[in-house]
Amino acid sequence: MPLPAREPDAATLAQAAERAAGNLLAPSAPHRLADVVPAPRQVQPDPTEDWTLPAEAVIVATADPAALAVAEQLAQLLRPATGYPLPVTDATAPEPAGGVALVLDDTAGLDAEGYRLDITTDGVRVTASTAAGLFYGVQTLRQLLPAAIESPVPVTARWAVPGGTITDAPRFPYRGAMLDVARHFFSVDDALRVLDHLARYKLNHLHLHLTDDQGWRIAVDSWPKLTTIGGTTEVGGGPGGHYTKADYTRIVSYAAARHITVVPEIDLPGHTNAALVAYPELAPDKVAPPPYTGTEVGFSYVDPANERTYEFVTDVLREVAALTPGPWLHIGGDEAFKVKDEVYTGFVERAQRIVADLGKTVVGWHQLAPAAHLDGRVLQWWGTNGEDPATLDAVHRGSRLILSPGNHAYLDMKYAPDTPIGHDWAGLIDVRKAYDWDPGTHVAGVPAEAVLGVEAPLWTESVTSLANIELLLLPRLPAIAELGWSPRETHDWADFRDRLAAQGPRWTTAGITYHRAPEIPWSANPSIPAQRNLPQTDTATP
Ligand code: TNX
């Protein structure tokens, strides 16, 4: 074969390679404006207004520290994959000018967490009345970019976004997930990674189950042995661990930066074996039980007849409250099988009062229901049959509910019999089971107005690594997130399944583990975009 007369120079080769890569990575038409999880309230596509992020784009935000923080977060989301500089600036009246404008405007008639996203060929404008709204608008924009935007290294793609307008706001104010760090301990970094997953799907609460029979995970200065002794065990006999106050504060601030409130749970009066090992004086017989590393429940409790127990509860809740900017303190209350009903109720009423005196709002599992109502009280429903007279009665007395039905929202349940980890006591929960229920009508007799929102708990008896956490969370967490965020009218399994499938390549690109649930039409070849190690002509300094 004759050689070409002249070898193309390196730059020409590089450009050709970039063009080829671009064709490979970016479909010529961007995906649909409605391809977002959770489904937005209103979507008005306008295919004549598709926009492409230019290399020289600027992100401009209202001159307000919280808005600028969201702008910087957007830049940090976009810089790794694009390799673009994406400087952030402020303005009194931000205009997209080809790039992205984040506009704080409390006269735009948007709900507190709502936003409007306007995409035109001239750029993208996110309008919201709060920084949280801007943050959610940014999460939507992120999903409208090609999946390659999730790459941690520069890749070549056409960063196209479908044109039109999205107007959005959540159905429920409380949208959460729970991580049990007591059965197995998880590092601060693992907790931060879970927060990232929550943020993607507009969840705004992380409930940390900080104490249980197998381990006590939060430092309490006035009762130091809770962690030095009570924190050193976990299910299966591993070393356990605990969060120092600085660790916990790091989690709380990382969450706050993502508009997520941490809900700390100190489980009382049951699920307290680890505390009793550390402080036998709290045990009914004042004898230290052996440390517990199994998975049974319901055998331990702090002595409700001992005044010292209330000093313990007050000290612990005071220290945890002082570290927690959010309004909630969760006092557990589940499975105290060995405490008689009247004694249990008396204990709960005192614990509820302690929380209120600390200026916090009490949350507890729905077993708290028979105790006296107290302003603002929230019960977390984990029943499996959608019906409970005591809970209904508590609702009539003013309690609100967070819905975590065990047979739909418990992410520690297996997807299918062959799921390698997880439980099945509440049944198997495939993606459709996680998605197909309505928080507004789920508990018999409880009106939607009494529902504060939804939460997906992840108990970790069988969960030992971040990869395990992600396998159980994804893809079911987005299903629960959609129930918490999207208006009921958008509820449609076939449509959800397709939108969820589009998340797969994003997770793959970002290096996130997920379960390739067979009922979801995942793309056949989840491809990791080719790394761009060519001269980066598009990042040349202006
Ligand atoms: C029940 S749900 C529990 C937890 C277990 C979980 C396992 C609830 C409030 N209590 O102690 O970890 O089942 O699925």
Side-chain angles (χ1 to χ4, degrees), residues 178 180 183 209 212 265 267 271 295-297 333-335 365-367 380 382 410 412-413 423 425-426 457 459-461:
M178 186 201 82
D180 168 10
R183 268 50 178 275
H209 182 76
D212 214 303
E265 178 186 353
D267 203 347
H271 289 275
T295 61
E296 296 298 314
V297 296
D334 57 319
E335 301 172 323
W365 299 105
H366 74 264
Q367 278 67 34
Q380 185 167 6
W382 61 285
Y410 263 36
D412 57 315
M413 294 302 133
H423 302 135
W425 67 259
W459 301 100
T460 59
E461 287 93 335

PDB file of all heavy atoms in Angstrom, residues 178 180 183 209 212 265 267 271 295-297 333-335 365-367 380 382 410 412-413 423 425-426 457 459-461, ligand 1:
ATOM      1  N   MET A 178     -31.753   6.024  55.504  1.00  0.00           N
ATOM      2  CA  MET A 178     -31.099   5.751  56.773  1.00  0.00           C
ATOM      3  C   MET A 178     -29.930   4.815  56.558  1.00  0.00           C
ATOM      4  O   MET A 178     -30.019   3.869  55.768  1.00  0.00           O
ATOM      5  CB  MET A 178     -32.078   5.078  57.750  1.00  0.00           C
ATOM      6  CG  MET A 178     -31.501   4.904  59.150  1.00  0.00           C
ATOM      7  SD  MET A 178     -32.347   3.609  60.104  1.00  0.00           S
ATOM      8  CE  MET A 178     -31.509   2.143  59.463  1.00  0.00           C
ATOM      9  N   ASP A 180     -27.498   2.394  58.841  1.00  0.00           N
ATOM     10  CA  ASP A 180     -27.229   1.769  60.141  1.00  0.00           C
ATOM     11  C   ASP A 180     -25.704   1.608  60.234  1.00  0.00           C
ATOM     12  O   ASP A 180     -25.122   0.764  59.557  1.00  0.00           O
ATOM     13  CB  ASP A 180     -27.974   0.422  60.166  1.00  0.00           C
ATOM     14  CG  ASP A 180     -27.574  -0.496  61.318  1.00  0.00           C
ATOM     15  OD1 ASP A 180     -26.854  -0.050  62.227  1.00  0.00           O
ATOM     16  OD2 ASP A 180     -28.005  -1.672  61.288  1.00  0.00           O
ATOM     17  N   ARG A 183     -24.649  -1.828  63.292  1.00  0.00           N
ATOM     18  CA  ARG A 183     -24.459  -3.266  63.082  1.00  0.00           C
ATOM     19  C   ARG A 183     -23.097  -3.499  62.442  1.00  0.00           C
ATOM     20  O   ARG A 183     -22.351  -4.382  62.834  1.00  0.00           O
ATOM     21  CB  ARG A 183     -25.568  -3.827  62.209  1.00  0.00           C
ATOM     22  CG  ARG A 183     -26.748  -4.351  63.006  1.00  0.00           C
ATOM     23  CD  ARG A 183     -27.254  -3.363  64.054  1.00  0.00           C
ATOM     24  NE  ARG A 183     -28.422  -3.888  64.758  1.00  0.00           N
ATOM     25  CZ  ARG A 183     -29.667  -3.783  64.313  1.00  0.00           C
ATOM     26  NH1 ARG A 183     -29.919  -3.115  63.192  1.00  0.00           N
ATOM     27  NH2 ARG A 183     -30.664  -4.301  64.995  1.00  0.00           N
ATOM     28  N   HIS A 209     -28.411   5.708  62.125  1.00  0.00           N
ATOM     29  CA  HIS A 209     -28.736   4.821  63.240  1.00  0.00           C
ATOM     30  C   HIS A 209     -27.409   4.575  63.977  1.00  0.00           C
ATOM     31  O   HIS A 209     -26.602   3.747  63.567  1.00  0.00           O
ATOM     32  CB  HIS A 209     -29.344   3.530  62.672  1.00  0.00           C
ATOM     33  CG  HIS A 209     -29.778   2.547  63.706  1.00  0.00           C
ATOM     34  ND1 HIS A 209     -30.922   2.706  64.451  1.00  0.00           N
ATOM     35  CD2 HIS A 209     -29.221   1.391  64.132  1.00  0.00           C
ATOM     36  CE1 HIS A 209     -31.049   1.675  65.275  1.00  0.00           C
ATOM     37  NE2 HIS A 209     -30.026   0.866  65.109  1.00  0.00           N
ATOM     38  N   ASP A 212     -26.729   0.627  68.706  1.00  0.00           N
ATOM     39  CA  ASP A 212     -27.527  -0.602  68.741  1.00  0.00           C
ATOM     40  C   ASP A 212     -26.799  -1.618  69.616  1.00  0.00           C
ATOM     41  O   ASP A 212     -25.771  -1.304  70.213  1.00  0.00           O
ATOM     42  CB  ASP A 212     -27.782  -1.141  67.317  1.00  0.00           C
ATOM     43  CG  ASP A 212     -29.154  -1.804  67.209  1.00  0.00           C
ATOM     44  OD1 ASP A 212     -29.408  -2.740  67.987  1.00  0.00           O
ATOM     45  OD2 ASP A 212     -29.970  -1.376  66.375  1.00  0.00           O
ATOM     46  N   GLU A 265     -29.982   9.073  65.401  1.00  0.00           N
ATOM     47  CA  GLU A 265     -30.827   8.198  66.221  1.00  0.00           C
ATOM     48  C   GLU A 265     -30.018   7.569  67.345  1.00  0.00           C
ATOM     49  O   GLU A 265     -28.987   6.941  67.113  1.00  0.00           O
ATOM     50  CB  GLU A 265     -31.450   7.073  65.390  1.00  0.00           C
ATOM     51  CG  GLU A 265     -32.310   6.125  66.266  1.00  0.00           C
ATOM     52  CD  GLU A 265     -32.846   4.894  65.529  1.00  0.00           C
ATOM     53  OE1 GLU A 265     -32.677   4.818  64.289  1.00  0.00           O
ATOM     54  OE2 GLU A 265     -33.411   4.016  66.196  1.00  0.00           O
ATOM     55  N   ASP A 267     -31.000   4.809  69.813  1.00  0.00           N
ATOM     56  CA  ASP A 267     -32.103   3.857  69.964  1.00  0.00           C
ATOM     57  C   ASP A 267     -32.295   3.497  71.442  1.00  0.00           C
ATOM     58  O   ASP A 267     -31.385   2.995  72.092  1.00  0.00           O
ATOM     59  CB  ASP A 267     -31.810   2.607  69.111  1.00  0.00           C
ATOM     60  CG  ASP A 267     -33.072   1.835  68.752  1.00  0.00           C
ATOM     61  OD1 ASP A 267     -34.136   2.100  69.349  1.00  0.00           O
ATOM     62  OD2 ASP A 267     -32.989   0.955  67.866  1.00  0.00           O
ATOM     63  N   HIS A 271     -32.340  -2.195  72.199  1.00  0.00           N
ATOM     64  CA  HIS A 271     -31.193  -2.096  71.280  1.00  0.00           C
ATOM     65  C   HIS A 271     -30.006  -1.399  71.949  1.00  0.00           C
ATOM     66  O   HIS A 271     -29.311  -0.595  71.328  1.00  0.00           O
ATOM     67  CB  HIS A 271     -31.593  -1.337  69.996  1.00  0.00           C
ATOM     68  CG  HIS A 271     -32.512  -2.121  69.105  1.00  0.00           C
ATOM     69  ND1 HIS A 271     -32.069  -3.030  68.173  1.00  0.00           N
ATOM     70  CD2 HIS A 271     -33.865  -2.145  69.023  1.00  0.00           C
ATOM     71  CE1 HIS A 271     -33.101  -3.570  67.539  1.00  0.00           C
ATOM     72  NE2 HIS A 271     -34.209  -3.050  68.040  1.00  0.00           N
ATOM     73  N   THR A 295     -27.182 -11.206  65.379  1.00  0.00           N
ATOM     74  CA  THR A 295     -28.162 -10.375  64.666  1.00  0.00           C
ATOM     75  C   THR A 295     -29.587 -10.500  65.227  1.00  0.00           C
ATOM     76  O   THR A 295     -30.539 -10.073  64.591  1.00  0.00           O
ATOM     77  CB  THR A 295     -28.193 -10.727  63.160  1.00  0.00           C
ATOM     78  OG1 THR A 295     -28.571 -12.097  63.032  1.00  0.00           O
ATOM     79  CG2 THR A 295     -26.847 -10.520  62.502  1.00  0.00           C
ATOM     80  N   GLU A 296     -29.704 -11.073  66.429  1.00  0.00           N
ATOM     81  CA  GLU A 296     -31.033 -11.110  67.045  1.00  0.00           C
ATOM     82  C   GLU A 296     -31.395  -9.700  67.539  1.00  0.00           C
ATOM     83  O   GLU A 296     -30.511  -8.848  67.696  1.00  0.00           O
ATOM     84  CB  GLU A 296     -31.034 -12.069  68.237  1.00  0.00           C
ATOM     85  CG  GLU A 296     -30.782 -13.523  67.867  1.00  0.00           C
ATOM     86  CD  GLU A 296     -31.860 -14.070  66.940  1.00  0.00           C
ATOM     87  OE1 GLU A 296     -33.050 -13.845  67.211  1.00  0.00           O
ATOM     88  OE2 GLU A 296     -31.502 -14.699  65.922  1.00  0.00           O
ATOM     89  N   VAL A 297     -32.677  -9.490  67.825  1.00  0.00           N
ATOM     90  CA  VAL A 297     -33.114  -8.189  68.338  1.00  0.00           C
ATOM     91  C   VAL A 297     -33.998  -8.390  69.563  1.00  0.00           C
ATOM     92  O   VAL A 297     -34.489  -9.494  69.811  1.00  0.00           O
ATOM     93  CB  VAL A 297     -33.915  -7.396  67.276  1.00  0.00           C
ATOM     94  CG1 VAL A 297     -33.055  -7.053  66.076  1.00  0.00           C
ATOM     95  CG2 VAL A 297     -35.162  -8.166  66.856  1.00  0.00           C
ATOM     96  N   GLY A 333     -36.967   3.429  69.863  1.00  0.00           N
ATOM     97  CA  GLY A 333     -38.196   2.957  70.487  1.00  0.00           C
ATOM     98  C   GLY A 333     -38.704   1.629  69.960  1.00  0.00           C
ATOM     99  O   GLY A 333     -39.721   1.117  70.430  1.00  0.00           O
ATOM    100  N   ASP A 334     -37.995   1.038  68.989  1.00  0.00           N
ATOM    101  CA  ASP A 334     -38.461  -0.221  68.406  1.00  0.00           C
ATOM    102  C   ASP A 334     -38.040  -1.425  69.242  1.00  0.00           C
ATOM    103  O   ASP A 334     -37.023  -1.400  69.937  1.00  0.00           O
ATOM    104  CB  ASP A 334     -37.890  -0.375  66.986  1.00  0.00           C
ATOM    105  CG  ASP A 334     -36.375  -0.308  66.970  1.00  0.00           C
ATOM    106  OD1 ASP A 334     -35.816   0.546  67.695  1.00  0.00           O
ATOM    107  OD2 ASP A 334     -35.734  -1.102  66.261  1.00  0.00           O
ATOM    108  N   GLU A 335     -38.834  -2.448  69.159  1.00  0.00           N
ATOM    109  CA  GLU A 335     -38.471  -3.793  69.624  1.00  0.00           C
ATOM    110  C   GLU A 335     -37.931  -3.857  71.050  1.00  0.00           C
ATOM    111  O   GLU A 335     -37.003  -4.599  71.332  1.00  0.00           O
ATOM    112  CB  GLU A 335     -37.448  -4.408  68.654  1.00  0.00           C
ATOM    113  CG  GLU A 335     -37.993  -4.511  67.242  1.00  0.00           C
ATOM    114  CD  GLU A 335     -36.950  -4.942  66.217  1.00  0.00           C
ATOM    115  OE1 GLU A 335     -35.780  -4.537  66.310  1.00  0.00           O
ATOM    116  OE2 GLU A 335     -37.329  -5.696  65.304  1.00  0.00           O
ATOM    117  N   TRP A 365     -39.532   5.381  65.993  1.00  0.00           N
ATOM    118  CA  TRP A 365     -40.240   4.334  65.240  1.00  0.00           C
ATOM    119  C   TRP A 365     -41.693   4.300  65.718  1.00  0.00           C
ATOM    120  O   TRP A 365     -41.994   4.756  66.825  1.00  0.00           O
ATOM    121  CB  TRP A 365     -39.543   2.988  65.437  1.00  0.00           C
ATOM    122  CG  TRP A 365     -38.123   3.018  64.940  1.00  0.00           C
ATOM    123  CD1 TRP A 365     -37.001   3.079  65.692  1.00  0.00           C
ATOM    124  CD2 TRP A 365     -37.688   3.019  63.568  1.00  0.00           C
ATOM    125  NE1 TRP A 365     -35.881   3.114  64.885  1.00  0.00           N
ATOM    126  CE2 TRP A 365     -36.274   3.083  63.571  1.00  0.00           C
ATOM    127  CE3 TRP A 365     -38.343   2.982  62.334  1.00  0.00           C
ATOM    128  CZ2 TRP A 365     -35.503   3.106  62.408  1.00  0.00           C
ATOM    129  CZ3 TRP A 365     -37.573   2.997  61.164  1.00  0.00           C
ATOM    130  CH2 TRP A 365     -36.178   3.057  61.210  1.00  0.00           C
ATOM    131  N   HIS A 366     -42.597   3.763  64.910  1.00  0.00           N
ATOM    132  CA  HIS A 366     -44.025   3.933  65.203  1.00  0.00           C
ATOM    133  C   HIS A 366     -44.473   3.224  66.483  1.00  0.00           C
ATOM    134  O   HIS A 366     -45.581   3.460  66.953  1.00  0.00           O
ATOM    135  CB  HIS A 366     -44.896   3.557  63.994  1.00  0.00           C
ATOM    136  CG  HIS A 366     -45.028   2.092  63.713  1.00  0.00           C
ATOM    137  ND1 HIS A 366     -44.233   1.426  62.798  1.00  0.00           N
ATOM    138  CD2 HIS A 366     -45.864   1.154  64.219  1.00  0.00           C
ATOM    139  CE1 HIS A 366     -44.586   0.155  62.751  1.00  0.00           C
ATOM    140  NE2 HIS A 366     -45.570  -0.041  63.610  1.00  0.00           N
ATOM    141  N   GLN A 367     -43.594   2.426  67.095  1.00  0.00           N
ATOM    142  CA  GLN A 367     -43.917   1.829  68.402  1.00  0.00           C
ATOM    143  C   GLN A 367     -44.120   2.901  69.466  1.00  0.00           C
ATOM    144  O   GLN A 367     -44.722   2.655  70.500  1.00  0.00           O
ATOM    145  CB  GLN A 367     -42.815   0.862  68.846  1.00  0.00           C
ATOM    146  CG  GLN A 367     -42.936  -0.523  68.234  1.00  0.00           C
ATOM    147  CD  GLN A 367     -42.693  -0.524  66.737  1.00  0.00           C
ATOM    148  OE1 GLN A 367     -41.886   0.256  66.230  1.00  0.00           O
ATOM    149  NE2 GLN A 367     -43.400  -1.391  66.033  1.00  0.00           N
ATOM    150  N   GLN A 380     -42.010   7.129  62.689  1.00  0.00           N
ATOM    151  CA  GLN A 380     -41.500   6.506  61.464  1.00  0.00           C
ATOM    152  C   GLN A 380     -42.133   5.128  61.310  1.00  0.00           C
ATOM    153  O   GLN A 380     -41.866   4.210  62.077  1.00  0.00           O
ATOM    154  CB  GLN A 380     -39.973   6.408  61.533  1.00  0.00           C
ATOM    155  CG  GLN A 380     -39.391   5.881  60.225  1.00  0.00           C
ATOM    156  CD  GLN A 380     -37.899   6.061  60.135  1.00  0.00           C
ATOM    157  OE1 GLN A 380     -37.243   6.494  61.100  1.00  0.00           O
ATOM    158  NE2 GLN A 380     -37.338   5.719  58.990  1.00  0.00           N
ATOM    159  N   TRP A 382     -42.714   1.583  59.985  1.00  0.00           N
ATOM    160  CA  TRP A 382     -41.960   0.516  59.310  1.00  0.00           C
ATOM    161  C   TRP A 382     -42.783  -0.762  59.220  1.00  0.00           C
ATOM    162  O   TRP A 382     -42.250  -1.845  58.975  1.00  0.00           O
ATOM    163  CB  TRP A 382     -40.609   0.283  59.971  1.00  0.00           C
ATOM    164  CG  TRP A 382     -40.627  -0.149  61.415  1.00  0.00           C
ATOM    165  CD1 TRP A 382     -40.884   0.633  62.497  1.00  0.00           C
ATOM    166  CD2 TRP A 382     -40.371  -1.469  61.933  1.00  0.00           C
ATOM    167  NE1 TRP A 382     -40.794  -0.105  63.653  1.00  0.00           N
ATOM    168  CE2 TRP A 382     -40.477  -1.397  63.338  1.00  0.00           C
ATOM    169  CE3 TRP A 382     -40.043  -2.693  61.346  1.00  0.00           C
ATOM    170  CZ2 TRP A 382     -40.281  -2.507  64.166  1.00  0.00           C
ATOM    171  CZ3 TRP A 382     -39.848  -3.798  62.174  1.00  0.00           C
ATOM    172  CH2 TRP A 382     -39.963  -3.701  63.566  1.00  0.00           C
ATOM    173  N   TYR A 410     -37.569  -0.901  52.790  1.00  0.00           N
ATOM    174  CA  TYR A 410     -36.400  -1.427  53.519  1.00  0.00           C
ATOM    175  C   TYR A 410     -35.355  -1.921  52.522  1.00  0.00           C
ATOM    176  O   TYR A 410     -35.478  -2.993  51.946  1.00  0.00           O
ATOM    177  CB  TYR A 410     -36.841  -2.554  54.464  1.00  0.00           C
ATOM    178  CG  TYR A 410     -37.058  -2.064  55.872  1.00  0.00           C
ATOM    179  CD1 TYR A 410     -37.596  -0.796  56.097  1.00  0.00           C
ATOM    180  CD2 TYR A 410     -36.717  -2.835  56.981  1.00  0.00           C
ATOM    181  CE1 TYR A 410     -37.791  -0.334  57.389  1.00  0.00           C
ATOM    182  CE2 TYR A 410     -36.911  -2.371  58.272  1.00  0.00           C
ATOM    183  CZ  TYR A 410     -37.440  -1.128  58.473  1.00  0.00           C
ATOM    184  OH  TYR A 410     -37.625  -0.663  59.742  1.00  0.00           O
ATOM    185  N   ASP A 412     -32.553  -3.083  53.028  1.00  0.00           N
ATOM    186  CA  ASP A 412     -31.777  -4.274  53.402  1.00  0.00           C
ATOM    187  C   ASP A 412     -32.488  -5.557  52.970  1.00  0.00           C
ATOM    188  O   ASP A 412     -31.926  -6.644  53.115  1.00  0.00           O
ATOM    189  CB  ASP A 412     -31.493  -4.312  54.912  1.00  0.00           C
ATOM    190  CG  ASP A 412     -32.766  -4.255  55.750  1.00  0.00           C
ATOM    191  OD1 ASP A 412     -33.640  -3.426  55.431  1.00  0.00           O
ATOM    192  OD2 ASP A 412     -32.879  -5.031  56.716  1.00  0.00           O
ATOM    193  N   MET A 413     -33.709  -5.450  52.433  1.00  0.00           N
ATOM    194  CA  MET A 413     -34.358  -6.649  51.898  1.00  0.00           C
ATOM    195  C   MET A 413     -33.697  -7.021  50.570  1.00  0.00           C
ATOM    196  O   MET A 413     -33.286  -6.137  49.801  1.00  0.00           O
ATOM    197  CB  MET A 413     -35.856  -6.411  51.663  1.00  0.00           C
ATOM    198  CG  MET A 413     -36.634  -6.187  52.942  1.00  0.00           C
ATOM    199  SD  MET A 413     -36.482  -7.549  54.106  1.00  0.00           S
ATOM    200  CE  MET A 413     -36.122  -6.641  55.614  1.00  0.00           C
ATOM    201  N   HIS A 423     -31.778  -9.256  53.807  1.00  0.00           N
ATOM    202  CA  HIS A 423     -32.767 -10.025  54.557  1.00  0.00           C
ATOM    203  C   HIS A 423     -33.963 -10.323  53.675  1.00  0.00           C
ATOM    204  O   HIS A 423     -34.067  -9.794  52.566  1.00  0.00           O
ATOM    205  CB  HIS A 423     -33.257  -9.191  55.752  1.00  0.00           C
ATOM    206  CG  HIS A 423     -32.173  -8.764  56.677  1.00  0.00           C
ATOM    207  ND1 HIS A 423     -32.079  -7.489  57.176  1.00  0.00           N
ATOM    208  CD2 HIS A 423     -31.114  -9.449  57.188  1.00  0.00           C
ATOM    209  CE1 HIS A 423     -31.020  -7.403  57.966  1.00  0.00           C
ATOM    210  NE2 HIS A 423     -30.413  -8.568  57.988  1.00  0.00           N
ATOM    211  N   TRP A 425     -37.166 -10.951  55.712  1.00  0.00           N
ATOM    212  CA  TRP A 425     -38.293 -11.077  56.657  1.00  0.00           C
ATOM    213  C   TRP A 425     -39.493 -10.230  56.242  1.00  0.00           C
ATOM    214  O   TRP A 425     -40.632 -10.559  56.571  1.00  0.00           O
ATOM    215  CB  TRP A 425     -37.875 -10.777  58.097  1.00  0.00           C
ATOM    216  CG  TRP A 425     -37.469  -9.349  58.373  1.00  0.00           C
ATOM    217  CD1 TRP A 425     -36.205  -8.877  58.467  1.00  0.00           C
ATOM    218  CD2 TRP A 425     -38.334  -8.222  58.614  1.00  0.00           C
ATOM    219  NE1 TRP A 425     -36.205  -7.525  58.727  1.00  0.00           N
ATOM    220  CE2 TRP A 425     -37.504  -7.090  58.828  1.00  0.00           C
ATOM    221  CE3 TRP A 425     -39.728  -8.037  58.657  1.00  0.00           C
ATOM    222  CZ2 TRP A 425     -38.015  -5.813  59.083  1.00  0.00           C
ATOM    223  CZ3 TRP A 425     -40.225  -6.757  58.903  1.00  0.00           C
ATOM    224  CH2 TRP A 425     -39.381  -5.666  59.115  1.00  0.00           C
ATOM    225  N   ALA A 426     -39.259  -9.131  55.506  1.00  0.00           N
ATOM    226  CA  ALA A 426     -40.390  -8.308  55.045  1.00  0.00           C
ATOM    227  C   ALA A 426     -40.713  -8.610  53.583  1.00  0.00           C
ATOM    228  O   ALA A 426     -41.445  -7.870  52.935  1.00  0.00           O
ATOM    229  CB  ALA A 426     -40.075  -6.825  55.228  1.00  0.00           C
ATOM    230  N   PRO A 457     -34.671   2.964  54.755  1.00  0.00           N
ATOM    231  CA  PRO A 457     -33.660   2.542  55.717  1.00  0.00           C
ATOM    232  C   PRO A 457     -32.761   1.430  55.162  1.00  0.00           C
ATOM    233  O   PRO A 457     -33.221   0.535  54.466  1.00  0.00           O
ATOM    234  CB  PRO A 457     -34.477   2.018  56.906  1.00  0.00           C
ATOM    235  CG  PRO A 457     -35.886   2.505  56.677  1.00  0.00           C
ATOM    236  CD  PRO A 457     -36.026   2.562  55.184  1.00  0.00           C
ATOM    237  N   TRP A 459     -30.477  -1.231  56.907  1.00  0.00           N
ATOM    238  CA  TRP A 459     -29.911  -1.931  58.069  1.00  0.00           C
ATOM    239  C   TRP A 459     -28.732  -2.743  57.576  1.00  0.00           C
ATOM    240  O   TRP A 459     -28.747  -3.241  56.446  1.00  0.00           O
ATOM    241  CB  TRP A 459     -30.979  -2.832  58.701  1.00  0.00           C
ATOM    242  CG  TRP A 459     -32.192  -2.075  59.146  1.00  0.00           C
ATOM    243  CD1 TRP A 459     -33.381  -1.975  58.495  1.00  0.00           C
ATOM    244  CD2 TRP A 459     -32.315  -1.286  60.334  1.00  0.00           C
ATOM    245  NE1 TRP A 459     -34.240  -1.171  59.214  1.00  0.00           N
ATOM    246  CE2 TRP A 459     -33.615  -0.747  60.347  1.00  0.00           C
ATOM    247  CE3 TRP A 459     -31.460  -0.988  61.402  1.00  0.00           C
ATOM    248  CZ2 TRP A 459     -34.080   0.076  61.367  1.00  0.00           C
ATOM    249  CZ3 TRP A 459     -31.924  -0.173  62.422  1.00  0.00           C
ATOM    250  CH2 TRP A 459     -33.212   0.347  62.407  1.00  0.00           C
ATOM    251  N   THR A 460     -27.718  -2.889  58.428  1.00  0.00           N
ATOM    252  CA  THR A 460     -26.463  -3.401  57.874  1.00  0.00           C
ATOM    253  C   THR A 460     -25.943  -4.681  58.541  1.00  0.00           C
ATOM    254  O   THR A 460     -24.747  -4.903  58.579  1.00  0.00           O
ATOM    255  CB  THR A 460     -25.386  -2.303  57.938  1.00  0.00           C
ATOM    256  OG1 THR A 460     -25.211  -1.918  59.320  1.00  0.00           O
ATOM    257  CG2 THR A 460     -25.763  -1.089  57.122  1.00  0.00           C
ATOM    258  N   GLU A 461     -26.844  -5.503  59.040  1.00  0.00           N
ATOM    259  CA  GLU A 461     -26.371  -6.775  59.609  1.00  0.00           C
ATOM    260  C   GLU A 461     -25.522  -7.548  58.605  1.00  0.00           C
ATOM    261  O   GLU A 461     -24.527  -8.187  58.976  1.00  0.00           O
ATOM    262  CB  GLU A 461     -27.564  -7.648  60.023  1.00  0.00           C
ATOM    263  CG  GLU A 461     -28.297  -7.167  61.277  1.00  0.00           C
ATOM    264  CD  GLU A 461     -29.478  -6.265  60.964  1.00  0.00           C
ATOM    265  OE1 GLU A 461     -29.485  -5.627  59.877  1.00  0.00           O
ATOM    266  OE2 GLU A 461     -30.405  -6.179  61.797  1.00  0.00           O
TER     267      GLU A 461
HETATM  268  C1  TNX B   1     -36.030  -4.503  62.346  1.00  0.00           C
HETATM  269  S1  TNX B   1     -36.991  -1.887  61.710  1.00  0.00           S
HETATM  270  C2  TNX B   1     -35.362  -3.546  63.104  1.00  0.00           C
HETATM  271  C3  TNX B   1     -33.903  -3.488  63.030  1.00  0.00           C
HETATM  272  C4  TNX B   1     -33.330  -4.549  62.151  1.00  0.00           C
HETATM  273  C5  TNX B   1     -34.174  -4.682  60.920  1.00  0.00           C
HETATM  274  C6  TNX B   1     -33.617  -5.623  59.905  1.00  0.00           C
HETATM  275  C7  TNX B   1     -36.673  -1.602  63.124  1.00  0.00           C
HETATM  276  C8  TNX B   1     -37.171  -0.362  63.634  1.00  0.00           C
HETATM  277  N1  TNX B   1     -35.968  -2.530  63.797  1.00  0.00           N
HETATM  278  O1  TNX B   1     -33.371  -3.568  64.332  1.00  0.00           O
HETATM  279  O2  TNX B   1     -32.040  -4.180  61.814  1.00  0.00           O
HETATM  280  O3  TNX B   1     -35.448  -5.115  61.296  1.00  0.00           O
HETATM  281  O4  TNX B   1     -34.346  -5.561  58.725  1.00  0.00           O
END
